[in-house]
Each structure stands twice: as C-alpha cells, then as structure tokens.
Amino acid sequence: MSSAYSGSSGNNRIYSIDYLRIVAFCGVVALHTIKPDGELSTLLNILSRFSVIFFFIIAGLFYNEHRPLRPRIRSLSMIGCTTGAIYCVLGIIGVTPWIQSLLSAEDIGAELVDQIVSWLVWNSFAPAYPLWFVFALLYVYIVYGVLNSCGVPKAAIASFSLGVLVARVIFCEFLGTIDFQDAILRSWLFFGLPCFSIGVLLKHFYSRLIIHKSMVLAIYIVMGIFISVGEYCIFGLQECYIGQIIASSAVVLFCCKHPFPASRSNGLLRKVVGGRFCLIAYLVHYAVVCACDIIRDSLELADTGFMQFVVFLATVILSLIIAALFICIIDHRRKVTQTC
C-alpha cells in the first residue's frame, strides 16, 4: 500500500472508528432483541445489518500480513473456547435455551453431532449463536495466514472472496436456493472472508479512495441504504445486504477521513473504546438478553414492541457496563503485575 495509512494505534488511532464500534454493537443487540414485524422495526433490522459487516471490514482494514498472526489466533481461540464453555454451562443451568432445544430433538445424539459439525465447519455455535462471529473471524485469520505464507497474491484472495460474495447473492437472493438464515451463509466462507477481504482492499487502495470528498462518501452511504431497502423489497429479509456492504465501506472511509483526534476525546472514553471493549460487550450481550427474557417471562409481561425496546436498552447498557468493568479489572491487574 502506497499511502501513509498506519493503522489504529498510538497517536494515529482512528477514534471515530472506535466510537462507531459501539454504534455497531448496538446494531447487533437490536438484531437479537427487536423482531422485524413492523415497518419501523424492519427498517431498523435492515440498517442494523451493517454492524457485523462493519466489524469484519475493519478487521481486514487493520490486518497486517507482516505481523505474526499466531498470537492473535491464539488469543481468539482462547476467547472463543472460554466463552463457549461458559455459555454451555449457562445452557445447562437454563439461562440460555440451548439444552431445552437439544432435549426436544427426536435423536439427541444425532442432533448434538450435527451441532458440533455445523460449529466446526460453518461456525454455527448452538449454545450461543452470536459467537459465530468470533469463530468465523478466527477461521478468516487462519485462512489469510496460510494463504499469505504460501505466497498466494492478495489479488487472488480478493478475487476468490468477491466470487464467493457473488455466489451468495445469486443462490440466496436471486434463486432463493439457500435460506438467508442458513448457517452456511453466516459463516467464515460466505460472510467473513468476503467482508474481511473488502477491508484488505480498502487498505490496499487507501490513498486512492481517501481523496474522495466527504459529501461523496455520504452519498455512497445513503445510496447503500437505499439499495438495501430495495433488496428487502425484492428479495425479503437478508443476513447480508450488498447495499450495506457499500454503505459500511463508505462509512469506514469516512471515519478514516475524519479520525476524531485523541486531543478531543475524553480520557475515560479513550480508556473504554476500542476492539477489546466492544468484543467483551459482544460476548456477554447474549447472556444479558436471555436473562432479560427470563425476567420478562417470570413477570408474565407480553412480548410487545415496547418490551423488546426495553430489553434492547437494558442489554446495551448492562453489556457496556460489564465490558467497562472487565477493562478496568484487566488494566488494574496489568498495572499491579508491572509494578511487582
């Protein structure tokens, strides 16, 4: 890459992307709490689909093939397996509906094997389905690391990834052969790899793309939203809209163009924003959603649109608070260790 782009660390950190991570996290929570059964809720569902796309794109944007991937892969593996084990326990004790769903199967053994295979191949983790993102990102890093070590050109990886994206659109939207909620489409191959590769391409052509005026990028964002709505009108609800990929890419470039300097960022905000903060919030939010559902059912409250919004708001607030507490504890322990 010929530009002066240097990632998101130190004085060059792009705080606008960090703040947008929180917005994207709220979008993820909205997808898991608010049902698209009305005009406004459906529009919210469409807009919120940018969230996971955004996370994969910025992962590709900040990917550096010259840095060793092994520590990142080890870290993601530990995070995924530890959180997965915790959610298995939560399922066993009844906090999440996993065990109840498993026990209702006609053949529990076969169902369990299918779940394990689906997890290992397509990242669909039955005890906590939102964790598919962590495992998909892990697989994408492994694939990119292996391909780079084998000397496969970026152009070849990008061409294959975009080809997979085209195939996804053809078989899901145009032909309807694969249901949009199928685990195959929400996986490292048909979701993670294409979006990650778009981030890598944005980084590669950064110097050419960043010269676009902010108004042009804003037009691309609006155009992407309208295309997404058009996709919904023609094909129905989708897991990944092409329009949202366009909008998310333009949003990332807009953030790079307006990085929101650290001098204008509050000290506390600088401490809690960033990848690890939103990742922790993402990991715990499903448990918070399930806990809120248990409380709602115990109080015999109707699952209305207002109640869904209350669950959404409670989940966002509690998840971010828990993430902030975790960050404070981690930083405190690190300082103590360094002092010793």
Side-chain angles (χ1 to χ4, degrees):
M1 184 182 65
S2 59
S3 71
Y5 175 79
S6 57
S8 180
S9 60
N11 294 328
N12 294 318
R13 188 169 190 90
I14 305 173
Y15 283 98
S16 51
I17 284 184
D18 283 331
Y19 298 142
L20 197 58
R21 290 180 203 259
I22 299 177
V23 177
F25 165 71
C26 293
V28 170
V29 176
L31 291 173
H32 298 155
T33 55
I34 300 178
K35 299 176 182 178
D37 51 8
E39 292 182 358
L40 288 178
S41 58
T42 299
L43 179 60
L44 177 61
N45 186 278
I46 295 171
L47 294 176
S48 298
R49 293 292 173 183
F50 100 96
S51 304
V52 181
I53 297 171
F54 170 79
F55 284 131
F56 275 116
I57 287 179
I58 60 174
L61 182 71
F62 298 140
Y63 171 73
N64 189 341
E65 65 271 22
H66 302 298
R67 292 180 181 176
L69 267 178
R70 188 169 296 176
R72 181 170 296 182
I73 291 174
R74 187 187 304 117
S75 176
L76 268 178
S77 300
M78 184 176 299
I79 290 171
C81 292
T82 302
T83 310
I86 292 173
Y87 271 109
C88 286
V89 173
L90 292 177
I92 292 172
I93 64 177
V95 175
T96 67
W98 170 55
I99 284 295
Q100 295 178 2
S101 175
L102 180 63
L103 295 178
S104 65
E106 293 183 3
D107 189 334
I108 297 177
E111 176 64 21
L112 185 59
V113 171
D114 288 342
Q115 290 183 1
I116 294 174
V117 171
S118 183
W119 168 49
L120 293 176
V121 178
W122 302 117
N123 315 124
S124 178
F125 190 68
Y129 63 90
L131 286 189
W132 77 269
F133 168 77
V134 177
F135 297 113
L137 184 59
L138 172 63
Y139 278 33
V140 170
Y141 277 131
I142 293 174
V143 169
Y144 254 83
V146 171
L147 293 178
N148 282 327
S149 64
C150 294
V152 179
K154 287 182 181 178
I157 303 175
S159 298
F160 172 77
S161 301
L162 295 179
V164 170
L165 184 62
V166 171
R168 175 197 177 103
V169 173
I170 292 174
F171 287 104
C172 183
E173 294 192 356
F174 286 96
L175 299 180
T177 307
I178 305 176
D179 186 83
F180 81 96
Q181 291 183 321
D182 196 296
I184 294 177
L185 296 180
R186 193 170 57 241
S187 66
W188 67 274
L189 179 60
F190 286 97
F191 198 125
L193 192 61
C195 294
F196 186 93
S197 296
I198 289 172
V200 173
L201 289 175
L202 290 180
K203 180 179 179 180
H204 184 73
F205 296 106
Y206 182 80
S207 58
R208 301 182 191 179
L209 296 172
I210 200 64
I211 61 175
H212 286 87
K213 294 182 178 180
S214 300
M215 181 59 67
V216 174
L217 295 176
I219 291 173
Y220 275 118
I221 294 171
V222 174
M223 183 180 68
I225 293 173
F226 274 99
I227 291 174
S228 300
V229 174
E231 289 178 80
Y232 163 73
C233 294
I234 298 173
F235 306 112
L237 288 172
Q238 301 295 324
E239 185 74 30
C240 177
Y241 297 95
I242 297 300
Q244 286 293 17
I245 293 178
I246 296 172
S248 298
S249 301
V251 165
V252 170
L253 288 174
F254 191 91
C255 289
C256 292
K257 199 173 182 68
H258 303 279
F260 201 95
S263 59
R264 294 171 54 191
S265 300
N266 179 276
L268 177 61
L269 286 178
R270 288 204 304 269
K271 186 173 183 179
V272 300
V273 299
R276 61 174 186 167
F277 174 66
C278 283
L279 178 59
I280 293 173
Y282 183 93
L283 293 174
V284 304
H285 88 274
Y286 181 62
V288 177
V289 171
C290 293
C292 288
D293 287 342
I294 291 174
I295 294 173
R296 183 199 64 209
D297 294 341
S298 64
L299 296 176
E300 298 183 351
L301 299 174
D303 188 20
T304 61
F306 175 75
M307 184 53 59
Q308 291 173 20
F309 177 75
V310 170
V311 172
F312 160 76
L313 202 59
T315 301
V316 168
I317 293 173
L318 291 175
S319 299
L320 293 178
I321 290 175
I322 293 171
L325 290 174
F326 264 96
I327 294 297
C328 291
I329 293 172
I330 292 171
D331 288 347
H332 176 72
R333 292 187 64 180
R334 184 175 296 159
K335 288 180 181 178
V336 171
T337 303
Q338 291 175 349
T339 303
C340 295

